[in-house]
Amino acid sequence: MNREANLEAVFTAAFAELSQVRETFTPQLRLREVGTLTSVATGIAKVSGLPGVGFEELVQFPGDVFGIAFNIDEDEVGVVLLGEHWQLRAGDEVTRTGRVMDVGVGDGLLGRVIDPLGRPLDGNGPVHTTARLPVERPAVAIMDRSPVNVPLQTGIKVIDALIPIGRGQRELILGDRQTGKTALAIDTILNQRDQNVLCVYCAIGQRASAVAKTVAVLREQGALAYTVVVVTEGNNPPGLTYIAPYAATSIAEHFMEQGRDVLIVYDDLTQHARAYRELSLLLRRPPGREAFPGDIFYIHSRLLERATHLGAALGGGSLTALPITETEAQNMSAYIPTNLISITDGQIYLSPSLFELGVLPAVDIGKSVSRVGGKAQWASFRAAAGDLKLAYAQFEELETFARFGARLDDHTRKTLDHGRRIRACLKQPEFAPVSVPAQILILLALTADLFDAVPLEQMPAAEQAVQAAAADIPAEVCTRFASADKLSDEDRKRLLDIARLALTRFQPPAETGKDKTP
């Protein structure tokens, strides 16, 4: 009996509380703008009935599929889909979200592989972020920027010596298919391990197998710990491919605004341009040159203008961009390459002919230029490289004529021999970045003609010996490499002595037993 009374008391109290909550509840009316899906195709949808929607506003479809309002016409809205369109049907309800596309940012992204919507692709559980930033953000004002005056060491001898890159610069990497563009960018990421530089690698419309290989290399080399990988694959909707570099840039900007140095690689913007062309043609935008829409220049310029070196008042962080683009049949004057060349602060051109000859990395020094990095290059590097670029350019010019088998004078032969040794020293295997002291020692030995006596077939071993001898450079000399001061005569002499000692066993034996003619 007591149990029934207790139950009755509990139910009475519960119902009294529910009745009180019901009486005090006031329904909240919320205005919601709803439209109707009129048609859907691969990557795009047409929607009617959203009169207040804004340009690039996020809209929601059934099944948690999102889209971006792209064409705002009088009677319909063209929407770029950010998910698969198979489940959508004409007549479905479409809702405004009242916000633009954004992405989660924060230190929790380091070491993760995500898509442009922030969803994890590496199977390591949910991604933890501290804030959200719009994927489209205005570039930093000119007055809030600082000059590019600190080098970004790539660990690649030919680039650091002849085509230097500064922190906050935009340096384009271009070349035909399979010439080593991605390898160049990955080597640069690997070299940032002890440089206090965070990295963002954005794979745009790449094959899943190629992305998996790149992620595996980063993981094996210990570079994934300071890298965020943003991925869209070739079979993803073109809308995802379109927003990928913008989302990756917002992630990088979050670190930059904390006063940190960041490197971002866009691999590659040719796929990005093709995705935008596909969306534009599907949305009936008028095509222009090579069927690309007229604003293709603008979408890349507003992306790359976000790379900069912030002023001290904003923390002094930097965002260095390495966009990659593909040429067809070495045609640098195609639409997208010329656009990107004019937007960026220089370009590194990879030549298929050099690649076929085994000159790796296949950097064509004559067609490559850095319009900013020379200002950021350390004085010791500048002094060590000297007139190396001019000597190499002269060698390439003479090599063309020497192929005809003409008789050469001693000076020309000496120039050719020296140029061949420069080329041999600038060769470098993949995933093997070279430290600053080793690079300076090799460059000094080159400019002092120490390699000229080494037989050409022994050049790889001789270069490795000099590289290993860099461990004998005194610590106080190494610290002066990163200063604004030039190398003193004493420092230069000590370095040349170290290089000369390392090359002793590669010198040809002196000729003996012959009479000297007066």
Side-chain angles (χ1 to χ4, degrees):
M1 190 69 182
N2 287 337
R3 184 181 296 174
E4 292 177 359
N6 287 340
L7 280 173
E8 187 176 355
V10 170
F11 279 119
T12 303
F15 284 129
E17 191 174 341
L18 286 171
S19 178
Q20 186 180 359
V21 171
R22 188 190 64 187
E23 288 172 2
T24 57
F25 173 73
T26 305
Q28 297 289 329
L29 295 176
R30 191 176 63 180
L31 193 63
R32 199 162 64 106
E33 197 169 314
V34 177
T36 305
L37 180 62
T38 56
S39 67
V40 62
T42 304
I44 64 139
K46 299 289 181 65
V47 177
S48 64
L50 293 176
V53 73
F55 179 61
E56 291 195 345
E57 182 180 338
L58 209 59
V59 296
Q60 187 171 9
F61 295 89
D64 279 339
V65 176
F66 289 91
I68 299 174
F70 227 54
N71 277 10
I72 310 295
D73 296 327
E74 189 175 352
D75 52 350
E76 70 174 8
V77 179
V79 178
V80 170
L81 297 175
L82 301 178
E84 296 297 345
H85 68 281
W86 313 112
Q87 58 190 357
L88 302 180
R89 298 287 182 272
D92 283 348
E93 188 178 274
V94 186
T95 314
R96 283 184 61 190
T97 63
R99 61 187 177 93
V100 295
M101 179 63 204
D102 55 16
V103 65
V105 297
D107 287 357
L109 291 174
L110 292 172
R112 301 302 303 270
V113 182
I114 60 172
D115 72 359
L117 301 179
R119 297 175 299 201
L121 300 175
D122 51 9
N124 291 337
V127 176
H128 301 289
T129 55
T130 55
R132 297 192 72 83
L133 288 178
V135 298
E136 289 268 18
R137 304 179 73 206
V140 180
I142 292 174
M143 298 306 294
D144 292 331
R145 303 183 182 214
S146 281
V148 174
N149 51 19
V150 179
L152 181 94
Q153 296 299 136
T154 65
I156 301 167
K157 291 170 288 187
V158 64
I159 294 176
D160 289 343
L162 306 180
I163 318 154
I165 300 171
R167 295 188 184 183
Q169 185 175 345
R170 302 155 299 177
E171 185 80 5
L172 177 66
I173 301 173
L174 76 161
D176 284 11
R177 282 179 60 84
Q178 302 296 321
T179 50
K181 301 185 294 297
T182 301
L184 212 62
I186 297 302
D187 276 349
T188 306
I189 291 176
L190 297 181
N191 195 54
Q192 307 313 311
R193 181 180 302 166
D194 301 318
Q195 307 290 329
N196 198 24
V197 177
L198 300 178
C199 303
V200 178
Y201 176 74
C202 181
I204 307 170
Q206 300 291 316
R207 297 192 316 275
S209 58
V211 176
K213 181 182 175 184
T214 300
V215 173
V217 168
L218 293 174
R219 185 176 286 112
E220 287 166 11
Q221 302 284 339
L224 201 58
Y226 55 86
T227 304
V228 183
V229 182
V230 182
V231 177
T232 58
E233 298 171 6
N235 61 345
N236 284 144
L240 269 186
T241 304
Y242 168 66
I243 67 165
Y246 298 102
T249 307
S250 290
I251 292 169
E253 279 180 330
H254 170 74
F255 297 125
M256 177 182 71
E257 289 164 2
Q258 293 179 338
R260 302 161 93 170
D261 293 313
V262 190
L263 167 70
I264 185 165
V265 174
Y266 304 108
D267 189 12
D268 64 67
L269 290 184
T270 306
Q271 298 295 337
H272 182 245
R274 287 170 182 163
Y276 186 68
R277 174 172 63 184
E278 180 181 347
L279 292 172
S280 299
L281 293 175
L282 287 169
L283 289 169
R284 305 287 183 180
R285 290 188 174 185
R289 181 176 161 190
E290 295 180 23
F292 286 104
D295 61 340
I296 192 79
F297 180 91
Y298 172 61
I299 72 161
H300 283 156
S301 61
R302 76 172 186 251
L303 170 70
L304 293 168
E305 278 297 323
R306 293 163 71 178
T308 185
H309 180 202
L310 293 178
L314 294 178
S318 69
L319 177 56
T320 309
L322 290 181
I324 297 174
T325 190
E326 183 185 302
T327 56
E328 295 178 353
Q330 307 179 48
N331 182 18
M332 289 175 67
S333 61
Y335 191 29
I336 302 303
T338 48
N339 277 357
L340 291 168
I341 287 170
S342 61
I343 294 167
T344 51
D345 306 313
Q347 72 272 355
I348 297 168
Y349 178 68
L350 300 178
S351 164
S353 54
L354 287 175
F355 187 88
E356 289 160 7
L357 289 171
V359 180
L360 300 176
V363 177
D364 188 325
I365 295 170
K367 293 180 181 176
S368 303
V369 66
S370 176
R371 291 189 275 272
V372 178
K375 302 286 185 183
Q377 197 176 28
W378 284 323
S380 53
F381 239 116
R382 210 176 301 122
D387 57 354
L388 203 62
K389 191 167 186 176
L390 178 62
Y392 193 73
Q394 287 176 338
F395 155 68
E396 287 187 322
E397 194 74 23
L398 286 171
E399 190 182 37
T400 306
F401 291 106
R403 290 196 187 111
F404 296 112
R407 294 180 63 183
L408 305 173
D409 60 275
D410 291 341
H411 177 71
T412 304
R413 193 177 294 110
K414 185 178 178 182
T415 304
L416 284 168
D417 288 343
H418 184 58
R420 290 191 183 101
R421 279 150 184 81
I422 294 175
R423 176 182 283 169
C425 276
L426 294 181
K427 287 182 182 180
Q428 192 168 332
E430 205 173 353
F431 312 138
V434 182
S435 66
V436 170
Q439 288 195 50
I440 290 177
L441 194 61
I442 292 167
L443 293 172
L444 275 176
L446 263 178
T447 51
D449 298 340
L450 297 186
F451 283 105
D452 286 7
V454 178
L456 204 57
E457 63 273 7
Q458 294 187 30
M459 275 301 297
E463 190 260 339
Q464 286 295 324
V466 174
Q467 193 171 318
D472 301 330
I473 299 175
E476 68 272 11
V477 178
C478 288
T479 55
R480 285 198 285 274
F481 287 158
S483 68
D485 301 328
K486 292 182 180 180
L487 285 174
S488 65
D489 292 339
E490 184 184 348
D491 288 343
R492 184 184 287 266
K493 183 177 181 303
R494 291 168 77 178
L495 292 170
L496 287 175
D497 287 343
I498 292 171
R500 201 173 279 112
L501 183 63
L503 291 172
T504 304
R505 61 191 178 93
F506 297 99
Q507 304 293 333
E511 294 184 5
T512 56
K514 288 188 178 180
D515 295 329
K516 293 183 180 179
T517 55

